[in-house]
Amino acid sequence: MKIQDVKKHIFSTLEPFAAANGFKILRGRFALSRKAGRRTDKIFFTYCSWGFEVNIFPYVSVDYGDITTICNDCGFTLNHSAFINLFLVDDKN
């Protein structure tokens, strides 16, 4: 399966979730994103592909603008992401 086919399938599957939870689909960045005040939430996918094999690595990123500003002023760089296992997500909530 090619990465474009995988992306198309993931976005079509996540489209109802994105609409219901205020996320925008960013096809070019292979991500979902939403802003709530000074907070930005993202679900993004990195991947590794060769031939017809594709490995997907989903991450969640939460960026609180005020905390980022304070850390930047103090010379710290934040990593706003955490790995999630989508196979463990329970969709029956």
Side-chain angles (χ1 to χ4, degrees):
M1 185 176 258
K2 295 183 179 180
I3 187 61
Q4 294 301 33
D5 298 329
V6 172
K7 286 181 179 182
K8 190 181 296 184
H9 179 72
I10 287 174
F11 282 138
S12 67
T13 303
L14 289 177
E15 197 165 12
F17 167 84
N21 291 286
F23 282 92
K24 292 180 183 177
I25 293 177
L26 307 176
R27 294 186 191 285
R29 296 199 59 213
F30 199 12
L32 303 174
S33 180
R34 71 177 172 194
K35 283 188 90 57
R38 290 195 31 93
R39 186 187 81 221
T40 303
D41 305 322
K42 291 182 183 173
I43 301 171
F44 60 98
F45 304 89
T46 59
Y47 61 90
C48 182
S49 65
W50 55 91
F52 289 98
E53 183 174 339
V54 177
N55 294 308
I56 305 267
F57 308 100
Y59 290 84
V60 172
S61 171
V62 179
D63 178 6
Y64 287 90
D66 296 330
I67 294 171
T68 302
T69 300
I70 292 167
C71 290
N72 289 340
D73 290 345
C74 295
F76 298 108
T77 302
L78 293 176
N79 179 347
H80 303 282
S81 63
F83 175 77
I84 61 170
N85 185 340
L86 291 179
F87 293 116
L88 297 178
V89 175
D90 180 15
D91 63 358
K92 297 177 183 161
N93 292 338

